[in-house]
């Protein structure tokens, strides 16, 4: 897992698919998890949250559901930024820890959960580990991204725009040329007007094809800022450098998201992998809201 995720979580985000610092997952997802945590709270023991991020699921269980009987352990590849709301004696976070090789004894864990996280790993290795650490009768419940979901499809469009902005001759490259030309001379010229027309044409094409996705990259805000004559040229260069860095980071994270998302055939294959790892009572169901498909829930029990 690359360093971009550590940078992302350290900014205080609570989920992996939106530039949001709002508190947590809501609606149908939250309701289903709270129902599950009602059962795990009765049994106590250890609940392991794989690819926990900044602990959104644990926050939901402990601070929304008030389910504080189990010991919660969040595990993630990245360096995190855990909020004070999760400073609790029965909550631990294992950062920079590979979930494909878990630091728990055989049959030690009561339940393993993951929300939009486990699918980023090598599932063959991770499911082997989950089967190893879960005690007989232990519960497994995850929600995974689907390629056709209302989460993944818009982000695919954003990734397309990011890639367009990074290619040679992109609107971003033309904008940098225009800013440089305006700094060299404030007088109107045919060359500057030609660059401006080229920029308008390229931006207009992106707006026509991917308007919302373009706005989600913050490129329109960048354009407005660097064309403001009150902003110094040196400040504009710093702004461009920061935008380039965030564009690269955003693109890598979205590539990870899209590569991790599963289609129907891959979900069926995941069921087969669970059966091969001594799981029974396997249940697969889609989660949706008014906007459409959110993801797929997979639950199972380790055989006794």
């Amino acid at each position: 897992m690359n360093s971009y995720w550590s940078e992302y979580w350290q900014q205080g985000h609570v989920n992996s698919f939106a530039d949001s610092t709002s508190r947590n997952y809501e609606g149908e997802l939250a309701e289903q998890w709270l129902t599950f945590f009602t059962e795990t709270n009765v049994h106590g023991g250890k609940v392991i949250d794989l690819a926990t991020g900044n602990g959104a699921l644990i926050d939901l269980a402990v601070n929304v559901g008030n389910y504080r009987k189990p010991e919660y352990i969040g595990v993630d590849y990245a360096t995190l930024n855990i909020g004070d709301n999760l400073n609790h004696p029965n909550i631990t976070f294992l950062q920079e820890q590979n979930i494909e090789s878990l630091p728990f004894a055989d049959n030690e864990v009561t339940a393993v959960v993951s929300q939009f996280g486990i699918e980023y790993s090598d599932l063959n290795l991770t499911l082997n580990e989950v089967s190893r650490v879960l005690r007989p009768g232990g519960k497994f419940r995850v929600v995974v991204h689907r390629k056709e979901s209302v989460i993944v499809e818009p982000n695919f469009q954003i990734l397309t725009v990011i890639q367009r902005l990074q290619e040679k001759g992109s609107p971003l490259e033309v904008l940098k040329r225009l800013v440089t030309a305006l700094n060299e001379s404030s007088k109107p010229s045919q060359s500057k007007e030609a660059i401006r027309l080229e920029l308008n044409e390229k931006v207009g094409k992106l707006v026509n094809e991917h308007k919302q996705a373009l706005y989600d990259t913050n490129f329109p805000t960048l354009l407005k800022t660097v064309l403001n004559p009150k902003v110094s040229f040196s400040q504009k260069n710093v702004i461009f450098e920061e935008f380039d860095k965030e564009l690269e980071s955003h693109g890598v994270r979205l590539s990870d998201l899209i590569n991790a998302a599963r289609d129907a055939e891959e979900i069926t294959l995941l069921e087969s992998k669970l059966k091969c790892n001594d799981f029974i009572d396997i249940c697969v169901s889609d989660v949706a809201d008014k906007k459409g498909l959110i993801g797929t829930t997979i639950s199972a029990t380790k055989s006794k």
Side-chain angles (χ1 to χ4, degrees):
M1 189 66 66
N2 57 66
S3 63
Y4 293 117
W5 283 106
S6 291
E7 294 171 2
Y8 178 79
W9 293 122
Q10 287 173 35
Q11 292 170 9
H13 298 283
V14 296
N15 61 56
S16 62
F17 52 83
D19 286 332
S20 169
T21 52
S22 61
R23 182 171 182 193
N24 214 327
Y25 302 106
E26 299 176 345
E28 184 66 22
L29 279 175
E31 291 302 317
Q32 289 191 14
W33 278 116
L34 289 172
T35 299
F36 176 82
F37 287 130
T38 301
E39 180 181 350
T40 59
N41 192 59
V42 172
H43 295 290
K46 288 184 179 180
V47 176
I48 309 302
D49 180 19
L50 299 181
T52 185
N54 281 334
L57 268 188
I58 296 174
D59 177 47
L60 189 68
V62 174
N63 294 318
V64 178
N66 201 33
Y67 299 133
R68 303 190 174 205
K69 188 174 180 180
E71 176 187 358
Y72 295 93
I73 303 175
V75 184
D76 203 284
Y77 295 95
T79 304
L80 308 175
N81 181 12
I82 306 301
D84 292 340
N85 58 313
L86 292 174
N87 184 8
H88 193 274
N90 70 333
I91 299 174
T92 304
F93 287 92
L94 303 180
Q95 305 181 43
E96 300 178 16
Q97 172 63 53
N98 189 341
I99 69 171
E100 297 159 6
S101 179
L102 295 170
F104 306 110
D106 295 357
N107 306 320
E108 180 181 353
V109 175
T110 307
V112 172
V113 299
S114 181
Q115 168 108 313
F116 300 132
I118 194 173
E119 65 270 37
Y120 287 83
S121 70
D122 183 323
L123 285 173
N124 289 320
L125 297 176
T126 302
L127 291 179
N128 286 342
E129 280 292 270
V130 170
S131 179
R132 180 184 67 79
V133 303
L134 264 180
R135 64 182 60 171
K139 301 298 182 181
F140 171 80
R141 187 179 193 276
V142 300
V143 179
V144 300
H145 282 299
R146 288 291 298 275
K147 292 185 184 299
E148 63 271 39
S149 74
V150 295
I151 294 171
V152 175
E153 285 192 343
N155 280 301
F156 180 79
Q157 299 302 319
I158 296 171
L159 179 60
T160 298
V161 172
I162 288 173
Q163 292 168 341
R164 294 270 293 274
L165 289 174
Q166 291 174 321
E167 65 189 15
K168 186 176 181 180
S170 71
L172 177 57
E173 183 180 284
V174 177
L175 177 60
K176 290 177 180 179
R177 284 168 42 209
L178 179 60
V179 168
T180 299
L182 290 171
N183 178 65
E184 292 171 351
S185 171
S186 59
K187 296 180 180 180
S189 69
Q190 289 184 346
S191 60
K192 284 198 284 286
E193 185 60 25
I195 298 172
R196 194 184 300 275
L197 289 173
E198 182 183 359
L199 177 62
N200 289 342
E201 180 183 354
K202 289 180 180 292
V203 172
K205 186 176 181 180
L206 267 184
V207 169
N208 289 335
E209 296 174 356
H210 305 286
K211 182 177 181 179
Q212 186 55 55
L214 179 63
Y215 275 89
D216 288 337
T217 66
N218 291 322
F219 180 78
T221 301
L222 170 76
L223 190 151
K224 182 178 180 180
T225 301
V226 298
L227 290 182
N228 183 347
K230 295 181 180 180
V231 179
S232 70
F233 184 64
S234 60
Q235 287 177 307
K236 291 174 183 179
N237 283 329
V238 171
I239 292 169
F240 274 129
E241 288 176 7
E242 292 176 348
F243 184 82
D244 287 340
K245 181 180 178 181
E246 175 52 30
L247 201 67
E248 181 180 1
S249 175
H250 198 177
V252 171
R253 296 194 311 270
L254 291 186
S255 293
D256 287 347
L257 163 64
I258 290 161
N259 290 332
R262 298 308 197 246
D263 59 25
E265 183 177 341
E266 289 169 320
I267 294 295
T268 300
L269 181 60
L270 183 51
E271 288 183 71
S272 300
K273 291 178 180 179
L274 285 169
K275 291 176 183 177
C276 292
N277 279 280
D278 298 324
F279 283 94
I280 59 173
D281 301 329
I282 300 169
C283 180
V284 177
S285 61
D286 290 338
V287 186
D289 62 12
K290 293 179 181 179
K291 294 181 180 180
L293 179 66
I294 299 172
T296 294
T297 300
I298 304 166
S299 61
T301 302
K302 183 180 175 182
S303 61
K304 296 181 178 181

